[in-house]
């Protein structure tokens, strides 16, 4: 199958929104891992006085992770799927959380402007058609020395990790999703991981977009070697790739 992109992917997520939280709740460590990645941003004082962008917030799981870790930050949560965003906004949130319906590729047009102190992107970059363009946009939205945490299914490159991911998808996720009428989306999600960058390749992509202090950090449990947090910081002008 061809990977879903843009409007087709947003529509598939719209349809899957009704059961998405139920499926991810069956994933051991899903919410714990999101909070761990949010903590890896290293934001002090509960985010007091800071602006944080939650890019690709879905039904709000990543937003909940941020509110747990940086409860005092002003959080802007963005997603391209109206259905997923509706599920998110139906939940109770503190007043410092704002939701915006927009694709990651068109943040400026949606009125999202810098400077943000941090950007958190969970399960986003393998689902956009032009990840380099989105990384550049994220870089430009960040304040000097602003931080990025990407929480993503990025395989280690080891054959065993690819095999585990495929076994979990084919043996558990796809049969359940197909029964719920969302097989097309979850087949896309399986393939999007297999065909996307390895963790190290994605880290190189982040560096090329003008970030420094890039680190790849593993996550525990069955997702070791499958899911990683990639941490980075906006480079200063004299260290950005290609600067003069």
């Amino acid at each position: 199958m061809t990977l879903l992109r843009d409007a087709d992917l947003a529509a598939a997520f719209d349809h899957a929104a009704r059961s998405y939280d139920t499926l991810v709740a069956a994933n051991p460590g899903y919410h714990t891992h999101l909070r761990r990645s949010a903590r890896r941003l290293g934001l002090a004082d509960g985010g007091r006085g800071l602006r944080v962008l939650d890019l690709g917030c879905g039904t709000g799981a990543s937003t909940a992770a941020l509110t747990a870790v940086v409860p005092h930050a002003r959080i802007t949560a963005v997603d391209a799927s109206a259905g997923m965003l509706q599920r998110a906004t139906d939940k109770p949130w503190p007043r410092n959380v704002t939701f915006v319906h927009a694709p990651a590729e068109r943040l400026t047009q949606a009125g999202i402007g810098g400077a943000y102190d941090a950007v958190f992107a969970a399960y986003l970059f393998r689902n956009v058609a032009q990840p380099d363009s989105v990384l550049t946009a994220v870089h430009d939205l960040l304040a000097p020395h602003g931080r990025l945490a990407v929480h993503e299914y990025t395989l280690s490159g080891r054959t065993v990790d690819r095999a585990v991911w495929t076994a979990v998808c084919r043996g558990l996720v796809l049969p359940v999703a197909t029964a719920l009428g969302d097989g097309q989306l979850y087949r896309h999600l399986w393939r999007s991981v297999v065909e996307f960058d390895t963790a190290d390749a994605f880290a190189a992509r982040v560096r090329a977009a003008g970030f420094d202090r890039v680190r790849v950090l593993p996550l525990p449990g069955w997702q070791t070697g499958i899911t990683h947090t990639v941490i980075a910081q906006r480079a200063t002008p004299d260290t950005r790739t290609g600067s003069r």
Side-chain angles (χ1 to χ4, degrees):
M1 63 166 281
T2 302
L3 291 176
L4 299 173
R5 293 299 184 207
D6 303 324
D8 290 336
L9 182 57
F13 272 115
D14 288 347
H15 187 269
R18 71 200 188 285
S19 59
Y20 191 82
D21 286 343
T22 301
L23 281 173
V24 300
N27 182 342
Y30 185 91
H31 296 286
T32 302
H33 289 172
L34 283 169
R35 290 191 295 271
R36 183 185 291 251
S37 288
R39 285 194 298 272
R40 286 169 168 173
L41 280 167
L43 302 178
D45 196 22
R48 195 178 304 275
L50 302 181
R51 298 179 72 212
V52 178
L53 180 62
D54 179 17
L55 193 54
C57 67
T59 61
S62 54
T63 318
L66 287 170
T67 60
V69 174
V70 285
H72 305 301
R74 287 178 292 159
I75 299 168
T76 303
V78 181
D79 203 85
S81 164
M84 299 286 275
L85 205 63
Q86 185 61 58
R87 289 283 174 172
T89 57
D90 285 345
K91 299 170 183 177
W93 298 100
R95 298 177 69 177
N96 56 313
V97 176
T98 303
F99 289 92
V100 178
H101 179 213
E105 299 88 343
R106 294 198 290 276
L107 297 175
T108 303
Q109 295 91 318
I112 306 245
Y116 284 89
D117 299 286
V119 174
F120 188 54
Y123 308 119
L124 171 78
F125 279 98
R126 62 191 164 77
N127 285 318
V128 298
Q130 297 180 320
D132 294 327
S133 296
V134 175
L135 277 168
T136 297
V138 166
H139 179 280
D140 293 342
L141 282 170
L142 282 167
H145 307 295
R147 300 174 188 180
L148 170 67
V150 177
H151 177 98
E152 187 59 275
Y153 289 116
T154 46
L155 299 175
S156 69
R158 298 189 309 165
T159 301
V160 64
D161 295 324
R162 179 182 175 126
V164 169
W165 170 248
T166 295
V168 168
C169 288
R170 289 181 175 173
L172 178 62
V173 177
L174 286 174
V176 174
T178 300
L180 293 169
D182 295 312
Q184 182 186 32
L185 172 63
Y186 285 86
R187 283 191 295 274
H188 157 86
L189 295 176
W190 162 62
R191 284 197 59 191
S192 70
V193 175
V194 171
E195 296 185 12
F196 191 55
D197 297 344
T198 63
D200 287 342
F202 183 72
R205 191 190 290 269
V206 171
R207 290 187 189 94
F211 291 87
D212 60 12
R213 300 188 181 183
V214 180
R215 292 182 294 154
V216 177
L217 303 175
L219 288 156
W222 78 269
Q223 294 188 51
T224 300
I226 295 172
T227 310
H228 296 84
T229 317
V230 178
I231 301 294
Q233 179 175 284
R234 175 173 173 159
T236 55
D238 60 329
T239 59
R240 181 170 181 172
T241 301
S243 61
R244 293 177 292 175

